[in-house]
Amino acid sequence: MRILKKIKIASFFVGILIIFWSCTNLFSNENETQEVTVIDQKVENLLSKMTLEEKIGQMNQYNGFWDFTGPAPKGGDAEKKYKDLKNGLVGSMLNVRGVKDVMAVQKVAVEESRLGIPLIIGFDVIHGYKTISPIPIAEAASWDLEAIQKSAAMAALESSAAGINWTFAPMIDISRDARWGRVMEGAGEDPFLGSKIATARINGFQGDELNSNFTIAACAKHFAAYGFVEGGRDYNTVDIGTSTLYNMVFPPFIAAKNAGVKTFMNSFNELNGVPATGNSYLQRDILKEQWDYNGFVVSDWGSITEMIAHGHAKDGAHAAEIALKAGSDMDMESYLYVSHLKNLVDTDKVDIQLIDDAVRRILKVKFELGLFEDPYRYCDLEREKEITGSKKINDAALDIAKKSIVLLKNEGDLLPLKKEGQKIAIIGALASDKTSPLGSWRIAADDHTAVSVLEGMSEYNGNLITFSKGADLTIGKTEFVSELKINTTNKSEFKEAIRVANSADIVVMVLGEHGFQSGEGRSRTSLELPGVQQELLEEIFKVNKNIVLVLNNGRPLAINWADKNIPAIVEAWQLGTQSGHAIAKVLYGDYNPSGKLPMTFPRNIGQVPLYYNYKNTGRPNSPGPEIVFWSHYSDEENTPLYPFGYGLSYTTFNYSDIKIVNSYNSNQKIKVSVDITNTGKRKGKEVIQLYIRDKYASITRPVKELKGFELLELDPGEIKTINFVLTDKELGFYDNNGEWLLENGEFEVFVGGSSETTNKINFELK
Ligand code: BGC
């Protein structure tokens, strides 16, 4: 087998290198190389002492399973897991959190197992730990890489203080399908923006030194193409071509690898007939060979077992064999490696070198985290107390929350609100909700800990505020794991809301999705306001037209009616712990909104998947009235309601004088410059976006591709020139064999404040 041969050759060379190093101390002048080699040597030393069972144990990850600080469990699954831990048959645990609990399990691994190898403790620190920052798609809307990196760094700070040293984040799946509930976890639809954000998040989590007590290992997930599940239905089949795979799906993963991400997670979906977990092309050929990735790959939860249901593996042993051979290094909660790998080696079905390769990768990350020096380095009760929920972390959460808000409409400058003398009616169940703003994937946060819109608005005391919920959004339980029941019938509180709205100067309506309507397992076939909220909105509109609609949601919504009728619309996603404060600051103008959409908002769900970087087709334009033979819908426009990159401000910006400063031939770079002026009366920030269009190519290119952006703050009347540089990296693309191509021809360059900008200039690559 080709892969095995390569691993054998690689191991041979590692061995030779280590012997050589020991004799000559060859790398004494190169700190980094020396450090890597020292760790490699430690890994080899340890590996040489391990039994086959202990090696397999490192590849086994269990979910938290008993009252860790109580007596050892007796009977059942928990007792088995506890014994495995003592016997060195567990390399990692997930969902064990808090210093006390982490300390308890770590103690068993370190002090009771034969070799005392510390556990790596994983957790889904997706957007904060206890203190919750905006859901990732909201953070992406800030386009503020510094703030995004800081948010991840704060999440690392808080979670590391709770004993965690590995997050299953960032999720960097590109997705064009708003029906898919997991779009809330990603950075949206664009691979360029997605790559920049992937890098920022990884740098935030991992910091400059992985072995600092304040940083944690990151995990690029889900490899690969999970965002392209058919119909947006979670866990569904993926069947996409190589052009999409290379140009849309892979770029953020390449960026993650280049940023030094320590781990990858594979995905639940099959890709073109082969489940990602058993996909040797993805994990061995592309990731480990072509990209030369030397971290480890963890399976997704139970995804090794799921290969049986996929119809790819006969039974558990077969699934374990396929997964290992395909490059899945650690088994999350399938129990199949620990149950079958030994026998698979003993019966020569699996070569031990594959196991050694996986264990080397896992041990290396543990050494890099500094766990062998001090397995309890993340376990300091005092530090946990001091850091959890601290001001520093909350300040950062508020900062990114403000920056994540997108102003979608502001007719007649209804916003910002006046701070005094107004009667403001706040309407909507979500306005007083202190749980929903935490969003999905916030397992460690306590319910009712977010600042609600009502609380945030009430801190401004110059206006008279009245509140009416209007209608419940949900009925019954709203727990993390439960399917939400939405109120579709009860309108008994409409009357009171209409009364309150009737006597108000301004109505702020907070409507949208509950935090648990998006996330894993929460796909939807409708993108409209759930339940009776649309009706409520229309009823209120009948008595008061001065409505500010504040949307809370984890995915793009189709809000055609609101866009036509409601004068002001604010996209406020699920903004986390500081949600209400951030929203109030934007509504009152203490923060001038600067967010831009990272995902297209459709007019109608029938348009989905809808995305800005689409292909032109052979029939892009109407040939004339009454002629149907062109690429369109007969009952809806092709265009989105709000395009990718779109977002307003309380000021306005003008783009002028786009220039190509130097041609490509002079130095294989093209410099594009543009002048931006703040033409309004307030200071404001604008995300200046550059798109290219490669007008003809051997593989057709999208009508627009984002290739640069810059966040710029301008005073009223101020003008600044921004330069962008385009190199082969921005101008080329992958062909269908994964080869990078740069082709001569005509290009258009667009620079503006959204993907629909028409400010453009042309150049030719000769
Ligand atoms: C999700 C992963 C997550 C894992 C562990 C799975 O269901 O797909 O993204 O990291 O669970 O919680």
Short mmCIF file of all heavy atoms in Angstrom, two decimals, residues 619-630 632:
data_model
loop_
_atom_site.label_atom_id
_atom_site.label_comp_id
_atom_site.label_asym_id
_atom_site.label_seq_id
_atom_site.Cartn_x
_atom_site.Cartn_y
_atom_site.Cartn_z
N ARG A 619 -27.19 31.78 -20.35
CA ARG A 619 -28.35 32.64 -20.60
C ARG A 619 -28.65 33.53 -19.39
O ARG A 619 -29.67 33.38 -18.71
CB ARG A 619 -29.58 31.77 -20.91
CG ARG A 619 -29.40 30.98 -22.18
CD ARG A 619 -30.66 30.26 -22.56
NE ARG A 619 -30.46 29.54 -23.80
CZ ARG A 619 -31.43 29.04 -24.55
NH1 ARG A 619 -32.69 29.18 -24.16
NH2 ARG A 619 -31.16 28.40 -25.65
N PRO A 620 -27.72 34.44 -19.11
CA PRO A 620 -27.87 35.22 -17.87
C PRO A 620 -28.92 36.33 -17.96
O PRO A 620 -29.42 36.76 -16.93
CB PRO A 620 -26.49 35.82 -17.68
CG PRO A 620 -25.90 35.88 -19.05
CD PRO A 620 -26.48 34.75 -19.83
N ASN A 621 -29.23 36.82 -19.18
CA ASN A 621 -30.11 38.01 -19.28
C ASN A 621 -31.36 37.72 -20.08
O ASN A 621 -31.34 36.91 -21.02
CB ASN A 621 -29.36 39.16 -19.96
CG ASN A 621 -28.12 39.53 -19.18
OD1 ASN A 621 -28.17 39.67 -17.96
ND2 ASN A 621 -26.99 39.63 -19.87
N SER A 622 -32.40 38.44 -19.73
CA SER A 622 -33.66 38.30 -20.46
C SER A 622 -33.47 38.79 -21.90
O SER A 622 -33.02 39.92 -22.12
CB SER A 622 -34.73 39.13 -19.76
OG SER A 622 -35.82 39.28 -20.63
N PRO A 623 -33.83 37.97 -22.87
CA PRO A 623 -33.68 38.41 -24.26
C PRO A 623 -34.77 39.40 -24.67
O PRO A 623 -34.69 40.00 -25.73
CB PRO A 623 -33.78 37.12 -25.06
CG PRO A 623 -34.30 36.08 -24.14
CD PRO A 623 -34.32 36.60 -22.75
N GLY A 624 -35.77 39.58 -23.86
CA GLY A 624 -36.83 40.53 -24.20
C GLY A 624 -38.11 40.14 -23.52
O GLY A 624 -38.22 39.04 -22.97
N PRO A 625 -39.08 41.04 -23.52
CA PRO A 625 -40.34 40.76 -22.83
C PRO A 625 -41.02 39.51 -23.39
O PRO A 625 -40.90 39.22 -24.58
CB PRO A 625 -41.18 42.01 -23.09
CG PRO A 625 -40.44 42.83 -24.08
CD PRO A 625 -39.06 42.31 -24.24
N GLU A 626 -41.67 38.79 -22.53
CA GLU A 626 -42.46 37.61 -22.91
C GLU A 626 -41.60 36.40 -23.30
O GLU A 626 -42.13 35.37 -23.67
CB GLU A 626 -43.42 37.91 -24.09
CG GLU A 626 -44.30 39.13 -23.90
CD GLU A 626 -45.26 38.96 -22.74
OE1 GLU A 626 -45.82 37.88 -22.59
OE2 GLU A 626 -45.40 39.93 -21.95
N ILE A 627 -40.30 36.53 -23.27
CA ILE A 627 -39.48 35.37 -23.68
C ILE A 627 -38.97 34.67 -22.42
O ILE A 627 -38.36 35.30 -21.55
CB ILE A 627 -38.31 35.80 -24.59
CG1 ILE A 627 -38.91 36.43 -25.85
CG2 ILE A 627 -37.43 34.60 -24.95
CD1 ILE A 627 -37.93 36.93 -26.84
N VAL A 628 -39.26 33.39 -22.35
CA VAL A 628 -38.96 32.68 -21.09
C VAL A 628 -37.60 31.97 -21.09
O VAL A 628 -37.14 31.51 -20.05
CB VAL A 628 -40.04 31.61 -20.80
CG1 VAL A 628 -41.37 32.25 -20.53
CG2 VAL A 628 -40.12 30.57 -21.91
N PHE A 629 -36.94 31.90 -22.25
CA PHE A 629 -35.79 31.01 -22.33
C PHE A 629 -34.49 31.65 -21.85
O PHE A 629 -33.56 31.89 -22.62
CB PHE A 629 -35.65 30.49 -23.78
CG PHE A 629 -36.89 29.79 -24.24
CD1 PHE A 629 -37.66 30.32 -25.26
CD2 PHE A 629 -37.32 28.63 -23.62
CE1 PHE A 629 -38.82 29.70 -25.67
CE2 PHE A 629 -38.47 28.00 -24.02
CZ PHE A 629 -39.24 28.53 -25.05
N TRP A 630 -34.47 31.99 -20.62
CA TRP A 630 -33.24 32.45 -19.97
C TRP A 630 -33.24 31.98 -18.54
O TRP A 630 -34.26 31.53 -18.02
CB TRP A 630 -33.09 33.97 -20.10
CG TRP A 630 -34.12 34.80 -19.37
CD1 TRP A 630 -35.44 34.92 -19.68
CD2 TRP A 630 -33.89 35.62 -18.22
NE1 TRP A 630 -36.07 35.77 -18.78
CE2 TRP A 630 -35.13 36.21 -17.88
CE3 TRP A 630 -32.76 35.91 -17.44
CZ2 TRP A 630 -35.27 37.07 -16.79
CZ3 TRP A 630 -32.90 36.79 -16.37
CH2 TRP A 630 -34.14 37.35 -16.05
N HIS A 632 -33.83 32.00 -15.12
CA HIS A 632 -34.56 32.84 -14.15
C HIS A 632 -35.72 32.04 -13.56
O HIS A 632 -35.99 30.90 -13.95
CB HIS A 632 -35.09 34.09 -14.86
CG HIS A 632 -36.28 33.84 -15.75
ND1 HIS A 632 -36.24 32.99 -16.83
CD2 HIS A 632 -37.55 34.31 -15.70
CE1 HIS A 632 -37.42 32.96 -17.42
NE2 HIS A 632 -38.24 33.74 -16.75
#
